[in-house]
């Protein structure tokens, strides 16, 4: 089953899940299934016009899907999608927060 | 140049000879915006501090210079030690630029989704890169840098820009005095975004010392998931050690789409091709200006837009994506 990896700032809206299993034959299907499972993601990923927000990128494995067939890109079995914001900053993950608080490194 | 500003106010730095490149850091232009401010009363003026005029192209040259020089002064760099830090881009480019001119090696932990231009520039400047998981954001890069520093403490000087006081000292000794001089002391408001918070803390403390009446407006993204490169959403992040939350008089939250719109307007209406953080700061400055009858607002423009051209937000969008 395909999966989507969730960036840390969005994990509060997936119940803390880092990856979500989704169904669908294309990237569009997968994204629809993701927001159906976790409706709070909708406002963070999509604008009022229903389009993906300008800084949100979807990767299939290591390739940006806009360099493939966009949201029509077919998903092979076991495909791994990732949501990646354009910026390289971001919220601390729970794992990172725990490690930092523990002064582990 | 910087020498004229910093060495007079910070004697510790005066003891260390500057490289020729370092003399070019600071003293950036202060430019009055003219067209996107036409709707404002004539007595309300907005001036932008154009920080891409620094040698490596961003405001981070100021902090990197002070971090580097403080470490050299303290004997923490030199003798082949490697400068190590985590960065999403501009600070790394600033470190790599200034360190190259001193023959100091640099190793940087960078989230893998840093723009391609930035990674290419860092490699061209000779920096060694450790790319970290994009999903873990800047904090994943911080953790990696700490891990490397802990494993080989003798090999690395861990610069730690989020907690290094040199990050704000730079702005106290350069950006603040420049704004007072360039505005003939007329500045009434400073508008600056929060990343490490070094700009706001250093510049803000200097301006408050000059006049307690100068208002400090801190700007940050409106949500944890955002597209404003270089900025932090403080409520959902552990605050940088150098941040002083009590310092700003006002906090403004900016949505990424509004920042992008302002960024495009600055290019088309002012001829200023800026990075999105400058656009975001402009949103806050215009909101502030709309409430005023008179005032002299200084807004910080951290970098230009050239390092962001590969971002999706600057690409023509195919239908449905």
């Amino acid at each position: 089953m395909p999966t989507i990896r969730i960036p840390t700032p969005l994990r509060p809206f997936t119940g803390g899940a880092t990856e979500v299993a989704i169904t669908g034959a294309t990237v569009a299907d997968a994204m629809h299934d993701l927001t159906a499972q976790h409706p709070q993601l909708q406002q963070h990923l999509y604008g009022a016009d229903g389009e993906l927000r300008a800084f949100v990128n979807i990767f299939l494995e290591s390739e940006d899907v806009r360099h493939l067939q966009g949201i029509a890109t077919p998903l092979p079995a076991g495909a791994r999608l990732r949501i990646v914001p354009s910026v390289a900053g971001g919220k601390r993950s729970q794992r990172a927060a725990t490690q930092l608080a523990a002064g582990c490194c | 140049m910087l020498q004229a500003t910093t060495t007079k106010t910070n004697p510790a730095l005066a003891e260390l000879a500057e490289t020729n490149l370092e003399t070019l850091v600071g003293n950036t232009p202060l430019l009055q915006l003219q067209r996107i401010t036409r709707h404002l009363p004539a007595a309300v003026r907005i001036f932008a501090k154009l920080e891409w005029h620094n040698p490596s192209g961003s405001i981070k040259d100021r902090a990197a210079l002070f971090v580097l020089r403080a470490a050299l002064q303290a004997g923490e760099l030199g003798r082949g030690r490697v400068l190590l830090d985590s960065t999403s881009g501009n600070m790394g480019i600033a470190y790599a630029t200034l360190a190259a001119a001193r023959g100091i090696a640099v190793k940087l932990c960078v989230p893998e989704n840093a723009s391609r231009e930035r990674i290419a520039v860092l490699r061209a400047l000779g920096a060694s890169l450790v790319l970290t998981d994009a999903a873990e954001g800047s904090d994943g890069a911080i953790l990696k840098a700490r891990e490397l520093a802990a494993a080989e403490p003798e090999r690395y000087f861990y610069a730690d820009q989020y907690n290094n006081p040199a990050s704000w000292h730079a702005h106290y000794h350069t950006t603040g005095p420049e704004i007072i001089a360039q505005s003939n002391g007329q500045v009434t408001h400073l508008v600056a975004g929060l990343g490490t918070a070094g700009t706001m803390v250093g510049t803000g403390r200097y301006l408050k010392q000059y006049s307690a009446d100068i208002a400090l407006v801190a700007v940050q993204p409106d949500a944890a998931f955002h597209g404003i490169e270089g900025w932090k959403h403080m409520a959902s992040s552990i605050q940088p050690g150098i941040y002083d939350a009590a310092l700003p008089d006002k906090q403004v939250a900016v949505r990424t789409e509004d920042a992008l719109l302002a960024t495009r307007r600055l290019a088309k209406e002012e001829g200023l091709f800026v990075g999105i953080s400058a656009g975001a700061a402009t949103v806050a400055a215009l909101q502030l200006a709309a409430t005023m009858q008179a005032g002299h607002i200084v807004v910080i423009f951290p970098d230009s837009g050239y390092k962001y051209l590969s971002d999706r937000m600057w690409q023509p969008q195919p239908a449905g994506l």
Side-chain angles (χ1 to χ4, degrees):
Chain A
M1 180 175 277
T3 58
I4 298 185
R5 186 163 166 80
I6 308 297
T8 50
L10 292 180
R11 290 176 194 167
F13 313 112
T14 59
T18 57
E19 279 195 350
V20 175
I22 36 87
T23 57
T26 65
V27 171
D29 294 343
M31 294 301 291
H32 182 75
D33 187 41
L34 175 69
T35 51
Q37 291 185 49
H38 300 287
Q40 283 183 294
L41 288 175
Q42 179 76 26
Q43 63 173 314
H44 294 280
L45 294 173
Y46 294 93
D49 57 2
E51 298 291 322
L52 209 56
R53 295 175 73 188
F55 65 94
V56 180
N57 305 294
I58 310 294
F59 280 70
L60 174 58
E61 307 300 341
S62 59
E63 191 70 32
D64 189 332
V65 300
R66 72 188 156 101
H67 299 139
L68 301 172
Q69 297 169 52
I71 58 172
T73 302
L75 292 183
R80 285 167 52 88
L81 289 170
R82 294 189 297 161
I83 298 169
V84 178
S86 291
V87 299
K91 181 189 175 185
R92 191 181 306 275
S93 68
Q94 189 54 49
R95 179 181 67 80
T98 304
Q99 289 177 345
L100 288 169
C104 80
C105 41
Chain B
M1 292 307 182
L2 182 75
Q3 192 169 21
T5 309
T6 59
T7 53
K8 283 178 185 168
T9 50
N10 191 341
L13 293 179
E15 296 167 16
L16 188 71
E18 289 181 306
T19 64
N20 290 342
L21 191 65
E22 289 168 8
T23 67
L24 301 179
V25 177
N27 284 325
T28 54
L30 189 68
L31 182 77
Q32 184 175 359
L33 302 182
Q34 292 184 295
R35 294 189 67 211
I36 66 170
T37 53
R38 278 188 299 201
H39 61 291
L40 297 171
V44 178
R45 295 181 294 169
I46 300 179
F47 294 81
K49 190 83 167 132
L50 309 185
E51 288 296 306
W52 60 86
H53 284 261
N54 283 298
S56 87
S58 87
I59 193 168
K60 290 292 191 175
D61 279 355
R62 298 176 187 267
L65 177 59
F66 272 61
V67 167
L68 194 68
R69 290 171 63 83
L72 285 165
Q73 203 74 48
E76 295 175 304
L77 264 179
R79 305 179 311 281
R81 284 188 99 194
V82 176
L83 187 155
L84 168 71
D85 210 348
S86 61
T87 166
S88 60
N90 276 338
M91 188 62 163
I93 292 171
Y95 284 140
T97 298
L98 300 178
R102 283 188 176 271
I104 293 170
V106 171
K107 187 168 201 164
L108 302 168
C109 298
V110 180
E112 62 184 336
N113 57 323
S115 74
R116 278 178 283 175
E117 295 92 330
R118 287 179 184 219
I119 288 175
V121 171
L122 287 168
R123 289 195 164 128
L125 290 164
S128 166
L129 303 186
V130 179
L131 298 181
T132 58
D133 186 348
E136 300 297 332
S138 59
D139 294 322
I142 292 172
L143 276 175
K144 187 64 183 175
R146 289 186 181 187
E147 179 189 318
L148 293 173
E152 295 184 88
E154 292 307 310
R155 183 178 176 202
Y156 296 116
F157 161 65
Y158 177 36
D160 195 6
Q161 61 163 324
Y162 291 95
N163 296 295
N164 191 326
S167 292
W168 72 265
H169 291 171
H171 297 284
Y172 182 88
H173 290 294
T174 69
T175 318
E178 287 172 31
I179 288 172
I180 293 300
Q182 290 172 312
S183 70
N184 294 318
Q186 299 301 304
V187 56
T188 58
H189 296 75
L190 171 73
V191 177
L194 298 178
T196 65
T199 304
M200 172 53 71
V201 171
T203 312
R205 283 182 178 154
Y206 184 90
L207 295 183
K208 283 288 188 189
Q209 199 172 317
Y210 179 81
S211 168
D213 292 336
I214 298 174
L216 307 178
V217 179
V219 202
Q220 53 181 301
D222 69 334
F225 189 63
H226 67 89
I228 305 174
E229 176 74 46
W231 285 16
K232 269 188 178 295
H233 178 250
M234 290 294 176
S236 64
S237 304
I238 291 179
Q239 293 181 0
I242 61 171
Y243 182 46
D244 176 0
L247 184 66
D249 297 285
K250 182 179 171 68
Q251 296 274 353
V252 176
V254 174
R255 184 170 166 83
T256 300
E257 283 77 2
D258 295 335
L260 183 55
L261 188 62
T263 306
R264 288 176 171 147
R265 285 193 66 196
L266 285 165
K268 287 183 174 156
E269 298 177 42
E270 297 282 354
L272 297 172
F273 183 56
V274 297
I276 190 169
S277 62
T282 299
V283 172
L286 287 172
Q287 284 178 5
L288 173 69
T291 67
M292 297 165 56
Q293 292 306 309
H296 187 128
I297 299 169
V298 171
V299 55
I300 305 292
F301 282 7
D303 66 1
S304 72
Y306 291 100
K307 290 190 292 285
Y308 305 94
L309 283 169
S310 67
D311 280 3
R312 184 169 174 267
M313 60 180 71
W314 291 116
Q315 306 292 320
Q317 300 300 304
L321 188 64

